[in-house]
Amino acid sequence: MFDLDRSANGRTQTERSDDATAIVLDQQYESVSENDAAALRAAILGKLTYQVGQTPETATDQDWFMATALAVRDRVVDAWNRPKEAEEQHKKVCYLSMEFLIGRLLSEMMGNLGLTSAVREALADLGISLDTLRGIETDAALGNGGLGRLAACFMESMATTDVRAVGYGIRYDYGLFKQSFRAGWQQEAPDDWMAGGNPWEFERSHIVYPVRFGGFVESRSDSSGKTYHTWNAGETVLAVAHDTPVAGWRGKRVNTLRLWAARAEHPLKLDVFNAGDHVGAQANQARAEAISRVLYPSDATPEGHELRLRQEFFFTSASLQDLLHGHLQEHGTLASLPDHAAIQLNDTHPAIAVAELMRLLVDEHDFGWDEAWRITTGTLSYTNHTLMPEALETWPVSVLERVLPRHMQIIYLINWLHIESVTRDGRLDPASLASISLIDEQNGRLVRMGHLAFIGSHKVNGVSALHTDLLRKTVFRDLHALYPNRIVNKTNGITVRRWFHQANPGLRRLAVSAVGDRVLDDITVLAGLERYAEDGAFQQRFAAERHQNKLLLAQIIRSRLDLSVDPDALFDVQVKRIHEYKRQLLNVIETVALYQAIKAEPNRNWISRVKVFAGKAAPSYTKAKLIIKLANDVARVVNSDPVVGDRLKVAFLPNYNVSLAESIIPAADLSEQISTAGLEASGTGNMKFALNGALTIGTLDGANVEISEQVGLENLFIFGMTADQVEERRRRGLDAHDVIAASPRLSGALEGIASGQFSPDDRDRYRGLVESLKGYDPYMIAADFEAYWAAQRDVDRLWCEPGEWWRRSILNTARMGWFSSDRTIREYAREIWNVPAEG
């Protein structure tokens, strides 16, 4: 044991006592042998010495983190490599996703393998704080928001439910941009998430597949009349595998997340380099590696648009080649692929898989078209995540013909056979052909990737009951009429290990003490908390745990924004991607109206409220970035007004990521889920907040509908138009002058914004934003404002009744077990993939 002083490790006796307490608390849900801590201590020291190359006296916190992560990784690898009986007989799920927002992994790995207390004890013996090391780890921000976080939750749940699975995506050099604010404006910088090294991944330099682009297609026929197609590509990029283990709860299974890095086939033209053109000699390398350089590069330019297509095809092609190679090794024939593999397309990004799998089967493996189509449709299934037209990807035919010429031929043939089939059978009026065609002829000849995924899959699923119903009625209405059993619902879920066990350990311990430790393995046991909802003593303990979370968030706000907030105030939180349909603007306008109301009646008994925002706007999304600037301008004025004081504060936290979410969500009292009804597919943030005891204010949109059914409509604050009412108002017109004129409160808030009350340095900054809202209100911001205001005042009244507030809060937590991603995965396994799943 090393007895290091504070100069070496920054530790005090008080901190060591805190660690001792934490060890005891962690042991409440872990079974740790006496030798675990000693073995881990030795392992950590070994890693520090022989892999990090440091001694305890010279090691930095970063060094200690790397050593600890590597020691934990060894335990994960032991489980990863543990042989599973007749593993090759287990059907394998291949989850293709453009994003995997996995965040930090140390806590998840330790928690799922039951190592947290042993690691904490081992580090404490060395004078090191585990909590400090947790903060050292960089978020792997390989996703934008809900789509990527859902993929990460699903990977963990597939391991937990013992589903054999591999996740496929891109190993981006730079994740979603790092956000900061300059004078309230969003600034973007590269997110160099691997700058300190990534202890969790393994480069598989021997697993490399060629991915081809461009060129031309040659056709020839043999003596029997059979036609063969040869794709003479103009460029080949190599996809190199990097594997990260994904551990399930209790370590029962460890699956693989395989991310592809792009490398040039010929990275250096030596003759060009020697001729003096040192930059030009590496042009091939720069072009190839751009594919895996940045998550979601701007597609505002033709070059950026093409790069997005190259990214999507790159990881899809490499993943399919990898799957087919492994399947042939295990089973000898690709004819049995649907029996042994299920490929899930996470949104339209990998929809090109339909054409690529057909190409591989027909061109590379000599299958006939009909047999290849049977294999393709029997293996693929597709998850749709949006009803937004701009998010339902399309690609110009001219671009696909140039970048993927063979695939465009295949898409034409798929489309012809599809249309010929439904017209021959008399299942479709010829006048309706345009709506079911894979080619949109009305807008410049575009390939509809959602249609391609639909036609090429045996199942298509929405991600909430409302979203699935709208899929059948709107974007896939005519396809649904042709294939009425293809669309099914799979309401999203969240992994409770990350969003309850890890993010809210105090509430987790309280739940265990109340309903028993079985809740750690079966979150539906949380329902037992209902019997304590009206118990005053339990309410106080519940509120105390949440208050600790609010103290921590208040510290974060203070350190990042130099803003002091009252932890006893109501924490009103909206954190998510910035988009007009998510209606951060509605929240900001209500904030302005509330500010003006407090100023007009300063002696009224207003509750104290802290409005917390976080989220990133796409770099090219000008209006979303203007909304961020407005929120920051409003915060600057409100927070400095002595008349308002602590009754209203506004905090916009920069650089929202998974780790920040883990601090914000357990501290939220009110969860803002206020999207325009009919536009949010599901949401998963709404589930995380409610599970952790926040009350929801929201529309009947996405999974809010099912949350209201599980939790009870009376335990949420539901407001605004329904999806049907939104559609009816759209038919009547989107001019908002009438509803603005009818609301002096809304008129006053908009006038304050437009006149420069919050932008004295540029009084016209928001005039255009307000004027556009008056004449064109597609997201029903003005139309829903008064209902939103009224719901917020209901929140005020309930906050003044703490007993009733905490009763509802406890019921939210107790009734959210159904929204576990374990349940979602079991439904996928049973109804789409046809694979066994535990539980």
Side-chain angles (χ1 to χ4, degrees), residues 718-738:
I718 297 297
F719 73 92
M721 290 180 283
T722 64
D724 289 342
Q725 291 168 335
V726 166
E727 188 56 35
E728 173 59 29
R729 182 167 178 86
R730 287 189 197 283
R731 286 193 290 267
R732 297 201 314 268
L734 296 172
D735 189 290
H737 282 91
D738 56 340

Side-chain angles (χ1 to χ4, degrees), residues 36 102 109 144 163 179-180 195 245 282 334 449 460 521 575 611 622 678 700 747 757 765 780 784 792 833:
D36 274 351
I102 57 178
M109 296 290 196
N144 183 32
V163 171
Q179 180 195 56
S180 61
Q282 300 176 75
L334 295 179
M449 301 307 286
V460 175
D521 299 287
V575 291
K611 290 263 195 176
T622 303
L700 283 174
S747 299
Q757 180 181 359
R765 179 178 296 143
M780 311 294 158
D784 265 351
Q792 287 284 21
W833 302 331

Side-chain angles (χ1 to χ4, degrees), residues 137-186:
E137 185 172 8
T138 303
D139 271 50
L142 305 182
N144 183 32
L147 183 76
R149 187 53 229 168
L150 181 76
C153 284
F154 278 7
M155 286 301 299
E156 194 267 2
S157 277
M158 282 188 274
T160 293
T161 57
D162 202 26
V163 171
R164 182 189 180 199
V166 57
Y168 284 113
I170 298 178
R171 182 184 182 267
Y172 302 100
D173 296 329
Y174 300 95
L176 191 66
F177 62 86
K178 185 177 294 184
Q179 180 195 56
S180 61
F181 298 135
R182 182 182 301 164
W185 292 101
Q186 173 178 289

